Amino acid sequence: MNKLSANLILIKTFFIRDMKIFASYKLLLFTTIFGIIMNAILFFYFSKLVDSSPNPYLDGSYYMYVIYGVAATDLSVVIINRLNNEIRDYQLTGVIDSLLSSHHSDLKILILSYPFGIFMALIRFFIYIFLASFISGQNIFDINNLPHLILIISLYIAVIIGIGLMAASLTVLFKRGNPILYIYFFLSSSIGGVFFPPTVFPSYVQYISELMPIKILLDILRDFQTGFQFSNVSEKLMILICYALFFLISGFFLIKLSLRMARMKGQLTNY
């Protein structure tokens, strides 16, 4: 058996394991779907209040503006927290040392928690989008642009995996109180264009906003409503590619460094 086949089998094994764990919590699936539906309905009626008067900061419907932001935030939260939560579970159950002492590398064992997390995050994202389309009666995007959407979402996922790895490196060493998660989610929800356009802020804040990965993603996603043209977003795609490379390289370096330091200090099994 070659190395690629062995890795694919390992990915499948961890994916099935995580799926069985998720399925074992009978109420979790219901509450997840119920929460998404309630959010979609709540923001639909809230948008009626916003759209009831002229808004100089918005060109179209507030509902479709905010639902993209909510869906992208949900995607970010699920994936960024995935490895962080997995490491805490391993630490609290006392299996992290034996798990990372297998013949597989430490990093590979931890990374294998991502496939199911990404799968669930994408399911949630598309439920938000298609449910919002059904509720509002608005067409979200041309199905012919689906390959472009997959490319864009894939690049953004690569970015937030990198951020998640950086956050997880602090969890390995300090267990709780992760500043990377707090800072990223605060900036994303406040100036990332999730709930309202950053144009309401002063110009220097708008400049910072343009650097936010989630703002770049949302600008591209919202472009699907106004007639998507690949040439119009090529510059933003290049920025996402650069971000993906930077955060993935930084994330892998920091998580490997933190695992090495935790082993040297005997802190790996502490919780």
Side-chain angles (χ1 to χ4, degrees), residues 26 28 36 52 55 70-71 91 105 123 162-163 166 182 242 255 264 267:
K26 307 299 182 185
L28 183 58
I36 292 173
S52 61
N55 192 325
V70 171
Q91 289 173 334
S105 70
I123 293 293
I163 296 172
M166 295 170 69
Y182 296 136
C242 292
I255 191 70
M264 289 174 59
Q267 295 179 341

Side-chain angles (χ1 to χ4, degrees), residues 31-264:
T31 54
T32 297
I33 296 175
F34 181 77
I36 292 173
I37 293 173
M38 288 298 99
N39 280 339
I41 293 174
L42 176 65
F43 280 108
F44 175 70
Y45 285 104
F46 179 74
S47 69
K48 289 181 176 292
L49 174 65
V50 178
D51 292 336
S52 61
S53 58
N55 192 325
Y57 297 105
L58 285 174
D59 295 327
S61 164
Y62 176 72
Y63 182 58
M64 294 313 299
Y65 179 92
V66 75
I67 209 68
Y68 273 121
V70 171
T73 301
D74 186 83
L75 179 80
S76 304
V77 169
V78 173
I79 296 178
I80 288 181
N81 279 325
R82 179 65 184 178
L83 186 56
N84 194 62
N85 293 339
E86 198 80 356
I87 289 173
R88 282 302 295 155
D89 286 344
Y90 290 157
Q91 289 173 334
L92 292 172
T93 54
V95 302
I96 188 168
D97 194 45
S98 58
L99 193 64
L100 298 183
S101 297
S102 67
H103 62 279
H104 299 291
S105 70
D106 295 353
L107 191 56
K108 181 188 290 187
I109 292 296
L110 295 178
I111 293 300
L112 286 169
S113 67
Y114 270 121
F116 183 74
I118 293 171
F119 172 76
M120 287 303 301
L122 288 173
I123 293 293
R124 293 166 64 105
F125 177 84
F126 284 107
I127 289 176
Y128 264 116
I129 299 302
F130 288 111
L131 183 61
S133 179
F134 174 76
I135 293 173
S136 65
Q138 299 182 48
N139 187 29
I140 299 176
F141 63 89
D142 187 342
I143 194 66
N144 295 322
N145 288 323
L146 185 59
H148 295 144
L149 179 64
I150 293 172
L151 171 63
I152 294 158
I153 294 294
S154 299
L155 286 174
Y156 181 71
I157 287 175
V159 172
I160 55 180
I161 285 176
I163 296 172
L165 288 169
M166 295 170 69
S169 68
L170 294 183
T171 300
V172 170
L173 294 174
F174 302 106
K175 318 308 178 192
R176 292 180 179 273
N178 202 313
I180 293 177
L181 297 178
Y182 296 136
I183 292 170
Y184 182 78
F185 290 136
F186 171 75
L187 291 177
S188 294
S189 59
S190 59
I191 66 173
V194 171
F195 299 108
F196 48 84
T199 49
V200 302
F201 291 111
S203 56
Y204 66 90
V205 178
Q206 294 179 41
Y207 177 77
I208 298 173
S209 172
E210 293 297 326
L211 301 176
M212 296 292 298
I214 196 168
K215 174 64 165 55
I216 297 171
L217 171 72
L218 290 174
D219 284 347
I220 298 174
L221 290 178
R222 288 164 182 154
D223 197 47
F224 281 107
Q225 291 181 268
T226 57
F228 179 82
Q229 294 292 329
F230 192 80
S231 57
N232 294 340
V233 299
S234 57
E235 183 178 339
K236 291 179 179 178
L237 283 176
M238 287 303 300
I239 296 174
L240 275 182
I241 291 172
C242 292
Y243 276 166
L245 290 173
F246 171 77
F247 284 113
L248 282 175
I249 292 172
S250 300
F252 278 117
F253 172 77
L254 289 175
I255 191 70
K256 290 178 71 174
L257 180 63
S258 66
L259 287 168
R260 189 180 305 120
M261 291 176 63
R263 283 191 182 281
M264 289 174 59

